[in-house]
Amino acid sequence: MKINQLKAGALLSYVSMGLSTVISLIYTPVMLQRLGDSEFGVYQTVLPIISYLNLLSFGLGSAYVHYYSRYKTQNDRDGMARLNGLFIMTYMVLGALLLGIGFWISMHGDVVFGKKLTAEEIALGETLLRILSVNAAITFPLSVFESHITIHEHYMFQKVVSMIKQVLNPLVMIPLLIIGFRSVTLTIVTLIFTLVTGVINMIYCFRKLHMPIRFARPDLHLLREMS
């Protein structure tokens, strides 16, 4: 079963890469044409800022896999439950920190985006930054469930959900662009997709993988070790 999961996961990864390339070739020109150079430029300027804010995750996803594997090998279900609770709470704190920084940056758009942009473009950038900051902050705690699926090697489910999101995203956005919606709507759609896929992963973890969660007193020794 694990071998089939690995083979299917690898195959779906290549399919996903192909889809990503094809979708990018189709979707990007449509977005550029409908938004125009100015709005598209503002949108592309905000994305790297969010990428930098995502560094606040500190690579904890890899640490989760490492420590969960340890408890899983020992068949320590209480340890797994406490670890899940610890990482969810940690990511919620980091997500709140990201959200605070993102909103603080959005209040200083004239400094962040420079003086070459118009007042309208700066206002748009600030709005996009706030929405995408919310999206990134929500992604942090939801990533625990995605990592939980990875540690149990359910690659097929993971890749299928990712591919469906990858395909549906442009299928929804292209019509919205054509009928006149702009970049703010696109970022809201991105946020909705993040929430939907996150909830799907949560349901799968609880119902299929019976993911244990226990919110207990933080293990300071474990926190020091991870640090």
Side-chain angles (χ1 to χ4, degrees), residues 80-132:
M80 290 185 284
R82 287 186 288 107
L83 186 72
N84 288 331
L86 174 64
F87 268 83
I88 290 174
M89 291 301 298
T90 301
Y91 270 127
M92 288 180 68
V93 171
L94 292 175
L97 177 62
L98 184 153
L99 191 64
I101 295 174
F103 271 68
W104 181 82
I105 292 174
S106 71
M107 296 168 61
H108 301 82
D110 54 337
V111 176
V112 175
F113 299 109
K115 298 181 179 180
K116 292 184 178 180
L117 300 184
T118 64
E120 291 77 12
E121 290 171 339
I122 291 175
L124 173 62
E126 292 172 345
T127 301
L128 296 178
L129 186 55
R130 283 190 285 268
I131 297 171
L132 290 176

Side-chain angles (χ1 to χ4, degrees), residues 1-2 5 64-65 68-69 72 77 80 84 144-156 158 204-205 208-212:
M1 184 65 168
K2 289 183 178 180
Q5 286 278 346
Y64 173 80
V65 172
Y68 193 91
S69 298
K72 187 179 178 184
R77 189 165 178 82
M80 290 185 284
N84 288 331
V144 176
F145 300 96
E146 188 173 353
S147 296
H148 192 76
I149 296 171
T150 300
I151 197 65
H152 284 84
E153 300 180 357
H154 285 227
Y155 303 118
M156 285 182 61
Q158 198 171 43
Y204 189 84
C205 284
K208 181 70 175 179
L209 303 178
H210 307 291
M211 178 179 179

Side-chain angles (χ1 to χ4, degrees), residues 8 30 39 77 91 94 110 132 139 173 178 180 185 202 205:
V30 173
E39 188 168 353
R77 189 165 178 82
Y91 270 127
L94 292 175
D110 54 337
L132 290 176
T139 301
M173 288 187 173
I178 292 174
T185 302
M202 287 176 62
C205 284

